[in-house]
Amino acid sequence: MNDHLQQPANAETPEFIQVLSANAIHQKVVHLARRISADYQNERPLLIGVLKGAVIFFSDLIRQLTIPVSIDFIQLSSYGNSEASCGDVAFCSQVTSDLKDRPLLIVEDIIDTGLTMDKLVKHLWTFEPESIRVCTLIDKYERREIEFKADYVCHEVKTGFLVGYGLDYAEQYRQLPAIYELKF
Ligand code: IMP
Ligand code: MG
């Protein structure tokens, strides 16, 4: 971690435990992109990246796809500096594309309680798309409060607060090329 991030000398930093190296992430993204390309062979899906956490995963994933796609983004409210979702999700920005009769693939950073994705999927159905599938970088399944299953999962973890490769803690650490669990 220290190779990629210089902290102020006196900063109190938590412990970083590597969960996935940059190389391991790359292998998994390539594998997932192959599955997605095969599943959408005769379609032209609209990929919707969920800002900000999914931005790095999204840009790596689309560059591995071998099918024609369009892209758009939606921004949901984060839960500030807290570590837990309260389920009170607000939309900060909306997609600008026409969603009617389109196959949609939502690309998210991490599913934890499931409340955010559940709300987003229900919201997007109101625009009458042809289909909605969900692709997530991390499926963190232990704290699920609502039954929610993503169609494509890059990596599963049971628990832990993760940062890096787009994932943040209080807007920090998104730029790290690997994924780490933070120990406070
Ligand atoms: P959910 O509604 O509990 O599923 O929360 C999902 C959102 O919480 C994700 O899109 C992330 O923005 C954030 N989140 C949940 N767990 C983590 C984590 O371990 N690291 C960083 N962000 C997280
Ligand atoms: Mg998110």
Side-chain angles (χ1 to χ4, degrees), residues 116-129:
T116 305
M117 267 305 103
D118 183 66
K119 179 159 182 186
L120 178 57
V121 168
K122 283 179 179 149
H123 170 73
L124 291 175
W125 272 121
T126 65
F127 297 92
E128 301 179 13

Side-chain angles (χ1 to χ4, degrees), residues 38 69 76 90 171:
V69 297
L76 307 178
E171 292 299 328

Side-chain angles (χ1 to χ4, degrees), residues 50-53 76-79 82-87 89 108-118 138 140 143-145 157 159-164 166-169 174 180:
V50 183
L51 298 172
K52 303 173 210 171
L76 307 178
S77 68
S78 69
Y79 33 88
S82 146
E83 285 165 61
S85 175
C86 55
V89 184
E108 170 65 314
D109 56 356
I110 182 162
I111 302 177
D112 184 14
T113 64
L115 296 168
T116 305
M117 267 305 103
D118 183 66
I138 305 284
K140 187 162 77 177
R143 289 205 303 186
R144 233 19 144 260
E145 285 181 24
V157 295
T159 179
F161 196 84
L162 307 186
V163 296
L167 294 162
D168 76 308
Y169 173 62
R174 292 193 196 276
Y180 300 87

